[in-house]
Amino acid sequence: MSDSQLKVRIAGGNAIRSLHADLPVNATFHIWLKAAKPDVPGSLSFSNVRGKFGEVSVTNAEEYEFRIFHVFGGGSVELDYDTDQTSVSVAYWFALADVLETGITVIHTNPGNAPPNIPDSYHFRPPFGWMNDPNGFGRFGGRPHLFYQHYSHGLRWNTMHWGHAVSSDYLRWRHMPIFLFPSEDLTARPDKRGGAYSGSAIPLADGPGIRVFFTEQVQDRIPEQQIQLTATSSDLITAGNADVILPYRPLDEGLTTDFRDPYVFKGPDGRWKMLLGSQSDEGGVVLLYETHDHTAATGWTYIGKLLVEKHYRTTAIECPCLLPIDGPATDPATRWVLILGLMNSEDQSTRRKNLTMAIVGWFDGQTFSKEFEQELDFGTDNYAFQAFVDGDAIVGIGWLANWADTGPAIDFPTAMTLPRNIHLSAGELHTPPIGAAESLRSHILDRTRLAAGEQVSFINGSVEILFELEKPGAHFRLKLHHPTVRLEVVVDDEGLAICHEDGGAAQSPHYIAKGARPRRLRIFLDYGSIEVFADHGRWAGTKRISGFEPVQSARLIAETGAVLHATVWALKP
């Protein structure tokens, strides 16, 4: 329910705002509110046709405070508050018994943290507030679960929580209650930025549910700003109390205070392993831990530096993950892929920043031997990528953004990338969109005009363009008409590129896969993004587009006969 649909009445000179909800029996409200003025308490009351039956209150005027309210009888309920005394940031309700099937119902968000109104968009976005890294991505209780870095009360990075969503196909998501909260100390002290940072999740060893691992950051905490915690959830809806499992960085390794993003997985020896990102004088570092505890709750010991990255002047490695890619984890011949984000890295030849690398090699449980490496995404707006083995396939997802474009003072509504598979083919790493992405196709917009060099108009911003060239590396220029951005996909002698110019003062990076000579192109357009997949994901490029104006049309320029065929699909979530 948007603010324009709320009821406002004047009572005794004050503006009373009413939120309405029709509830099932045993509904639960999650509400964030704060006092609008210092020293004047704020409150929100609940009432039905029989009158007022409850109230939640708050005295803090500095930061929104979280409140839970249960409505046991259900029915039609009004939530009333005096806007002169109380500010409400977010209010939603859910029924615990079936929330995994139905999701939450949001009845209020402030305009400053509301999501964009783009119902035709098919990328995952939070129901309100800020979002960055995917966390705890996996299949639990038979469903894909996506957790993510989240701040509810604005579109800017702030004290971190874990948001949560569930799906049946990785494409259509139901929003869940906020899963993981920062410590009470951080909630009470908004000046001490930090919170529940990124991490991962595994199934509980001895029953239904999950165990999550995450970094807690408290700014200026001595001696460690960043430590590692674990918590469990038996219902897959809310996390229990967290316990510290790694209170200190490894000694005598020359590490900076960066010590974060635990990724937990089963090694080839059957033991639980943990990767963490850090930085040293040598370069970015991936740290390896292991435990003999089958529950992964205790006993974590440091093994050593799994990898040191020296090439791109990163200030810290973030969000490392490691997966078997061409066989079972227990087979010594199986190759593994190590994926890591290089924070503040830069490819000086193209000016692209915050690169993500994928390194293929062999992992014996203690050491990693590199065979080859390649960039995960030449567009670089597929950051903090996290993946897991789902049956016989690897599925991963990334944050559709780049830290070079945002910061704590910038409103930045973002999305997650299309989910992708990862596999080896002919000694090369491929990251195509998952097969279910074809289910987004609504109807065909064009089969002939684009291939003939004509302009093809779109009905909205959700489009898939698929075309094949007569030979690998045939030159073309796909011109995409956008109201505010110059946007093209090009293949020339240099390689495959996304040309993006938004009129800013700084020169745009050169988003290119050098030397790429693709034959088959698959391009996904959405409100605020473009994703390019060439030759079944051999090259992938992702670029966020500022704002939510849609691409309006496309024209494909190529030599006569260079394009064998082209199809344009309208997409619908």
Side-chain angles (χ1 to χ4, degrees):
M1 180 183 291
S2 67
D3 279 357
S4 63
Q5 297 172 293
L6 303 179
K7 295 188 296 183
V8 179
R9 66 181 187 275
I10 305 299
N14 295 333
I16 305 299
R17 177 162 288 174
S18 295
L19 311 173
H20 177 81
D22 292 315
L23 306 176
V25 174
N26 294 333
T28 299
F29 275 98
H30 284 182
I31 304 163
W32 284 261
L33 67 164
K34 67 179 180 179
K37 302 174 182 177
D39 304 320
V40 178
S43 64
L44 182 147
S45 65
F46 294 78
S47 61
N48 56 21
V49 293
R50 294 179 294 277
K52 179 178 174 180
F53 62 86
E55 183 174 270
V56 293
S57 61
V58 67
T59 58
N60 184 10
E62 299 298 321
E63 180 73 6
Y64 287 104
E65 295 189 14
F66 175 59
R67 294 288 185 270
I68 299 174
F69 193 88
H70 299 286
V71 179
F72 297 105
S76 181
V77 173
E78 299 283 338
L79 290 68
D80 298 325
Y81 63 99
D82 185 336
T83 59
D84 289 335
Q85 297 181 358
T86 308
S87 175
V88 177
S89 173
V90 175
Y92 61 76
W93 65 266
F94 60 94
L96 187 62
D98 64 358
V99 65
L100 289 169
E101 304 294 339
T102 61
I104 62 173
T105 298
V106 180
I107 63 169
H108 173 71
T109 60
N110 271 337
N113 59 357
N117 182 24
I118 41 176
D120 293 323
S121 176
Y122 54 90
H123 283 82
F124 177 83
R125 289 182 173 86
F128 41 79
W130 162 277
M131 178 184 72
N132 57 292
D133 305 358
N135 301 151
F137 189 46
R139 182 180 292 274
F140 308 110
R143 298 181 177 89
H145 286 249
L146 172 64
F147 304 89
Y148 53 91
Q149 292 283 272
H150 177 64
Y151 179 69
S152 298
H153 315 306
L155 299 177
R156 302 181 181 185
W157 181 91
N158 206 295
T159 303
M160 286 291 99
H161 304 55
W162 277 26
H164 182 200
V166 300
S167 177
S168 58
D169 61 3
Y170 295 106
L171 296 170
R172 299 160 182 90
W173 296 91
R174 296 182 295 280
H175 297 297
M176 294 290 109
I178 300 300
F179 180 79
L180 190 61
F181 291 78
S183 67
E184 292 183 6
D185 176 61
L186 280 166
T187 302
R189 291 287 307 278
D191 58 308
K192 286 187 173 293
R193 295 290 181 88
Y197 274 26
S198 294
S200 56
I202 62 173
L204 280 178
D206 302 318
I210 58 174
R211 176 175 295 279
V212 299
F213 303 84
F214 65 98
T215 298
E216 182 193 66
Q217 164 145 327
V218 177
Q219 182 178 317
D220 301 326
R221 178 170 56 190
I222 302 297
E224 301 288 355
Q225 293 189 43
Q226 299 180 349
I227 61 176
Q228 315 313 316
L229 284 75
T230 186
T232 62
S233 173
S234 59
D235 61 9
L236 297 172
I237 299 167
T238 56
N241 293 331
D243 297 315
V244 177
I245 53 173
L246 293 177
Y248 303 104
R249 290 165 288 165
L251 297 175
D252 304 321
E253 292 283 28
L255 303 178
T256 65
T257 57
D258 300 286
F259 180 51
R260 58 178 175 268
D261 307 340
Y263 180 81
V264 175
F265 63 103
K266 273 285 179 70
D269 53 11
R271 298 173 191 161
W272 288 112
K273 311 289 179 175
M274 179 191 294
L275 304 184
L276 288 154
S278 187
Q279 176 76 6
S280 71
D281 291 340
E282 299 176 274
V285 178
V286 177
L287 307 172
L288 176 65
Y289 286 76
E290 72 174 15
T291 181
H292 292 266
D293 179 359
H294 79 285
T295 71
T298 60
W300 287 99
T301 58
Y302 177 57
I303 302 302
K305 294 177 180 176
L306 191 71
L307 177 119
V308 179
E309 163 48 53
K310 302 179 181 181
H311 299 128
Y312 293 101
R313 299 181 181 179
T314 180
T315 58
I317 283 180
E318 295 193 304
C319 305
C321 66
L322 181 60
L323 310 105
I325 196 168
D326 65 349
T330 54
D331 186 343
T334 293
R335 290 176 176 85
W336 294 63
V337 58
L338 175 61
I339 301 171
L340 39 107
L342 307 182
M343 185 178 183
N344 295 326
S345 61
E346 182 175 4
D347 177 12
Q348 295 185 344
S349 68
T350 61
R351 302 178 304 281
R352 296 172 304 131
K353 297 182 179 180
N354 297 294
L355 310 177
T356 298
M357 304 305 297
I359 307 171
V360 174
W362 292 271
F363 176 60
D364 64 6
Q366 303 285 309
T367 59
F368 180 79
S369 302
K370 171 183 168 182
E371 182 183 15
F372 70 90
E373 72 176 34
Q374 65 185 63
E375 278 192 68
L376 189 72
D377 193 294
F378 71 85
T380 69
D381 284 0
N382 172 17
Y383 193 70
F385 192 83
Q386 189 170 97
F388 74 103
V389 179
D390 187 12
D392 59 358
I394 294 177
V395 181
I397 197 168
W399 182 40
L400 209 164
N402 192 298
W403 285 114
D405 299 324
T406 188
I410 300 172
D411 284 355
F412 198 69
T414 59
M416 294 297 180
T417 66
L418 274 175
R420 303 170 187 194
N421 293 130
I422 307 178
H423 61 86
L424 283 175
S425 178
E428 297 171 330
L429 195 69
H430 289 229
T431 57
I434 60 171
E438 293 187 4
S439 72
L440 296 169
R441 293 171 177 172
S442 171
H443 59 278
I444 291 175
L445 296 175
D446 172 67
R447 284 187 185 272
T448 59
R449 288 174 292 138
L450 190 71
E454 299 177 23
Q455 191 92 357
V456 177
S457 297
F458 306 148
I459 57 174
N460 59 28
S462 300
V463 176
E464 179 188 351
I465 301 172
L466 178 66
F467 60 94
E468 187 170 0
L469 303 172
E470 186 270 334
K471 62 181 180 180
H475 292 191
F476 71 83
R477 184 174 298 273
L478 179 68
K479 299 174 72 69
L480 300 166
H481 180 219
H482 186 277
T484 62
V485 173
R486 174 180 170 259
L487 189 64
E488 298 179 349
V489 179
V490 175
V491 166
D492 57 21
D493 288 340
E494 193 177 3
L496 167 65
I498 299 172
C499 301
H500 173 275
E501 298 287 346
D502 61 6
Q507 185 179 11
S508 177
H510 190 23
Y511 301 106
I512 186 166
K514 292 183 179 179
R517 301 181 71 249
R519 183 171 185 179
R520 187 177 188 272
L521 280 295
R522 191 177 181 189
I523 298 167
F524 288 84
L525 302 173
D526 198 359
Y527 298 81
S529 68
I530 178 173
E531 291 171 280
V532 177
F533 300 93
D535 288 355
H536 306 284
R538 167 61 186 89
W539 297 279
T542 306
K543 184 70 190 81
R544 179 182 182 268
I545 304 168
S546 182
F548 296 103
E549 291 290 334
V551 174
Q552 298 172 346
S553 64
R555 183 183 174 209
L556 183 57
I557 301 170
E559 293 183 359
T560 302
V563 180
L564 294 180
H565 57 79
T567 306
V568 182
W569 294 83
L571 304 183
K572 190 174 182 61

